[in-house]
Amino acid sequence: MNDNKRRRRKKESTAVQLNEHGDGDGNDHNQIDVEKQGGVKTKELKEIITSLILLEEQEKRDQVEFEKEEQDEKLFFDSNHEKKAKVMLDYYSQLQEYHKETDLKDGVRKRKGRANNGMVAANLTAAVADAAELDNKDDNYGSEQGEKGAKGAPQRRLWVKNRSKAWWDQCNSAEFPEEEFRKAFRMGKDTFEMICNELSSVVAKENTMLRDAVPVRQRVAVCIWRLATGEPLRLVSKRFGLGISTCHKLVLEVCTAIRTVLMPKYLQWPDEESARRIKDEFEAISGIPNVAGSMYTTHIPIIAPKISVAAYFNKRHTERNQKTSYSITVQGVVDPKGVFSDVCIGWPGSMPDDQVLEKSALYQRANQGLLQGVWIVGGTGYPLMDWVLVPYTQQHLTWTQHAFNEKIGDLQRIAREAFARLKGRWCCLQKRTEVKLQDLPVVLGACCVLHNICELRNEVMDPELNFDLIDDEMVPEVPLRSVNAMKARDAIAHNLLHHNHAGTSFLS
């Protein structure tokens, strides 16, 4: 009986050991697989966490820089306020002493007191002028004195902060070298003069009792130099001898005038005669008939907006530059000379090229049937449609398809180089600007118009201003939107080889 109990206990002990150490090779292998899968997931999780940490550190650095700039500005304004308060307190103390003296004196002393009154008033004038010089908000300050006599008109006196205009006076002189003028304003004197004459009726202002109006040439020069260099407003202020807020106002006023007056003349969709000439020139370049324009979309960097931040977040630029980037888009169609015939400005940087196209006036024009029988050439970021011609995107291309893509690339390069000259000539498009988001479309539109004027007047751009254009193209979700367009593209590709317009690079 005891032997049976011992044998039973031994079997139970053996079963427990098997359960603890695994019941075979199969369970051991399963455990190893689970451990491997867990290692892979851990590695992926670490990579995700590392990316998040990098983005968080960048945001923290940006926040620290912003807080530092904000603190510097606060200290600057506090210092100005203290100085102005001290000046006014000194004046008030002098005024009180004066009144005490005049109360005690009579007769001849009163007459002398009135003379002293003039001195106190002069001290007041100097004190207020000193306080005005500390204020960086504007460059002109006025003070109105009381009426003198029943028939006397109000006498006004103007205090102006002394600012040097030596640089602009030098540029504005007839002796200033043409080459130096072109380097500063990205155009020759004749082109600049033409723009001033065109805008004169809109931007000119009349003199007032308080100040003389800024001349038209100086107004236009402030705007163009700001767009050309992209320098901050404080440097524009020093160059032209004007207040910072005045310079900001002038830039927006002149850009608005350019959009109102010059855009209808220098940036418009071609008429029938011009369209025929454009088609012939594009066909001479590529052998592809009925091409009315070459299309491209670029991104303009901006400061993170206060609303809809996610919409303007540029994921591809952020990943490439390892720095949080926000942008807006500019879509443009150009002719063979790189002159814009259509632009669409201001859609958020998170939108791909095909979605920007669908939001544009060009797309609406096509839906109304106004682009029948013509092609707009685009890159791989656009879909193939009845009026949009794009290259083949599949992996394995035939000789005919590859030759077609080469010719499409020649036309697409025209638009790409036009945008490179646009950004190279107007450096304000290369970096984040101080202009508010709602004002950016007006400024960007003015840059496109000025680009067209320079191109039409054969203004040669300095090679030092060449800009490397980097924009990521994403294949649209629906790359093929028309079967007829697919057949038409195949026919064009076949005719290019049949008429010996393509394929020469394979033979060389």
Side-chain angles (χ1 to χ4, degrees):
M1 194 70 176
N2 292 332
D3 291 339
N4 290 335
K5 288 182 179 180
R6 281 195 297 270
R7 280 194 295 270
R8 239 186 344 264
R9 289 175 181 172
K10 187 176 182 180
K11 288 180 181 180
E12 290 175 356
S13 175
T14 302
V16 170
Q17 290 177 1
L18 285 174
N19 287 333
E20 291 178 351
H21 297 288
D23 55 352
D25 294 338
N27 288 341
D28 293 341
H29 286 303
N30 290 338
Q31 185 175 0
I32 293 171
D33 291 340
V34 169
E35 291 176 353
K36 288 182 178 180
Q37 292 177 1
V40 172
K41 292 182 179 179
T42 302
K43 183 178 180 181
E44 293 177 351
L45 184 59
K46 287 181 178 179
E47 293 177 353
I48 294 173
I49 293 174
T50 302
S51 300
L52 293 175
I53 291 174
L54 289 175
L55 288 175
E56 185 177 359
E57 289 177 353
Q58 181 62 41
E59 290 180 356
K60 287 181 179 179
R61 286 195 294 269
D62 292 344
Q63 182 66 23
V64 170
E65 293 177 1
F66 175 78
E67 291 177 353
K68 183 179 178 182
E69 293 177 357
E70 190 177 39
Q71 183 66 22
D72 292 342
E73 290 181 359
K74 184 177 181 300
L75 292 175
F76 175 76
F77 286 121
D78 290 344
S79 176
N80 279 355
H81 177 72
E82 291 176 0
K83 292 179 181 179
K84 288 189 287 184
K86 184 177 182 302
V87 170
M88 297 307 295
L89 287 174
D90 291 343
Y91 158 70
Y92 182 70
S93 177
Q94 293 178 7
L95 190 62
Q96 282 186 326
E97 292 178 0
Y98 161 73
H99 283 300
K100 289 179 181 179
E101 291 178 1
T102 53
D103 289 341
L104 298 175
K105 298 177 181 179
D106 55 358
V108 178
R109 292 180 180 271
K110 288 183 179 180
R111 287 193 293 271
K112 291 182 179 180
R114 283 194 291 271
N116 291 333
N117 189 17
M119 295 180 60
V120 174
N123 291 336
L124 171 60
T125 300
V128 176
D130 291 340
E133 289 181 1
L134 297 172
D135 190 356
N136 201 25
K137 185 176 181 181
D138 205 344
D139 57 347
N140 295 330
Y141 296 88
S143 176
E144 182 178 347
Q145 298 178 344
E147 294 188 0
K148 295 184 178 180
K151 298 182 180 179
Q155 300 296 318
R156 297 177 182 270
R157 190 165 183 177
L158 177 67
W159 288 273
V160 180
K161 182 174 181 178
N162 293 327
R163 299 178 188 270
S164 174
K165 298 192 297 183
W167 182 84
W168 164 241
D169 291 338
Q170 185 181 8
C171 293
N172 197 31
S173 65
E175 294 78 16
F176 193 70
E178 178 76 16
E179 194 62 30
E180 292 296 323
F181 189 92
R182 179 176 286 106
K183 187 174 182 180
F185 296 97
R186 309 297 193 257
M187 62 183 67
K189 291 183 178 180
D190 291 341
T191 301
F192 180 81
E193 190 69 29
M194 182 274 293
I195 294 174
C196 291
N197 293 336
E198 293 274 2
L199 300 179
S200 178
S201 61
V202 179
V203 302
K205 304 293 182 181
E206 296 182 356
N207 296 338
T208 66
M209 294 180 63
L210 291 177
R211 72 181 78 180
D212 291 336
V214 179
V216 171
R217 288 177 60 84
Q218 189 175 1
R219 288 173 175 270
V220 176
V222 167
C223 177
I224 293 180
W225 193 80
R226 160 82 161 143
L227 299 180
T229 62
E231 297 290 356
L233 289 171
R234 57 184 176 81
L235 294 184
V236 182
S237 170
K238 291 181 179 179
R239 289 279 180 156
F240 290 90
L242 299 172
I244 292 178
S245 61
T246 301
C247 291
H248 176 68
K249 183 179 178 181
L250 289 179
V251 171
L252 294 182
E253 284 182 354
V254 175
C255 286
T256 302
I258 290 174
R259 182 185 65 176
T260 304
V261 178
L262 299 182
M263 183 174 284
K265 296 181 180 180
Y266 295 98
L267 202 163
Q268 57 182 345
W269 191 254
D271 54 22
E272 292 185 6
E273 182 178 353
S274 299
R276 192 180 306 110
R277 174 184 57 80
I278 290 173
K279 291 177 185 178
D280 293 340
E281 292 181 7
F282 274 129
E283 187 170 3
I285 295 171
S286 64
I288 301 176
N290 299 323
V291 175
S294 178
M295 180 167 55
Y296 187 82
T297 299
T298 191
H299 288 255
I300 307 298
I302 62 172
I303 298 174
K306 296 181 179 179
I307 58 174
S308 303
V309 178
Y312 293 91
F313 176 70
N314 193 316
K315 180 180 178 181
R316 297 180 295 281
H317 285 196
T318 299
E319 292 174 349
R320 184 174 60 251
N321 302 327
Q322 292 298 309
K323 184 176 181 180
T324 306
S325 300
Y326 300 89
S327 66
I328 65 172
T329 60
V330 178
Q331 173 191 285
V333 178
V334 303
D335 67 7
K337 295 181 180 179
V339 176
F340 290 104
S341 57
D342 182 88
V343 290
C344 177
I345 301 171
W347 289 103
S350 63
M351 294 176 59
D353 294 351
D354 60 323
Q355 292 183 17
V356 175
L357 176 62
E358 292 173 0
K359 299 289 185 180
S360 66
L362 182 68
Y363 192 86
Q364 301 301 324
R365 188 182 294 119
N367 286 343
Q368 295 171 6
L370 301 179
L371 297 181
Q372 289 184 355
V374 299
W375 292 108
I376 303 297
V377 172
T380 56
Y382 301 101
L384 178 64
M385 295 189 289
D386 290 332
W387 54 280
V388 178
L389 190 62
V390 299
Y392 292 96
T393 56
Q394 59 263 35
Q395 291 184 350
H396 304 290
L397 300 177
T398 65
W399 186 7
T400 303
Q401 293 171 343
H402 190 87
F404 172 84
N405 282 3
E406 283 189 344
K407 293 302 179 181
I408 286 289
D410 292 339
L411 300 184
Q412 180 66 7
R413 193 175 301 113
I414 295 174
R416 186 180 182 88
E417 291 176 353
F419 271 99
R421 291 196 299 276
L422 174 73
K423 286 189 172 182
R425 183 176 278 127
W426 311 115
C427 296
C428 66
L429 307 180
Q430 300 176 16
K431 53 188 177 181
R432 298 184 298 180
T433 178
E434 298 168 335
V435 179
K436 295 180 180 179
L437 184 61
Q438 60 266 28
D439 296 327
L440 265 180
V442 176
V443 175
L444 299 182
C447 290
C448 294
V449 174
L450 293 174
H451 165 88
N452 280 6
I453 292 174
C454 291
E455 295 288 316
L456 292 171
R457 295 177 66 89
N458 298 318
E459 294 285 352
V460 180
M461 194 175 77
D462 190 339
E464 294 180 358
L465 299 175
N466 290 339
F467 181 76
D468 294 331
L469 199 63
I470 301 177
D471 290 295
D472 303 293
E473 290 185 346
M474 297 180 61
V475 177
E477 294 182 1
V478 185
L480 176 62
R481 301 190 183 181
S482 172
V483 176
N484 291 333
M486 181 180 64
K487 294 178 180 178
R489 181 175 64 176
D490 292 340
I492 292 173
H494 174 77
N495 290 334
L496 286 175
L497 282 181
H498 182 70
H499 294 92
N500 296 323
H501 288 302
T504 56
S505 64
F506 291 94
L507 304 177
S508 58

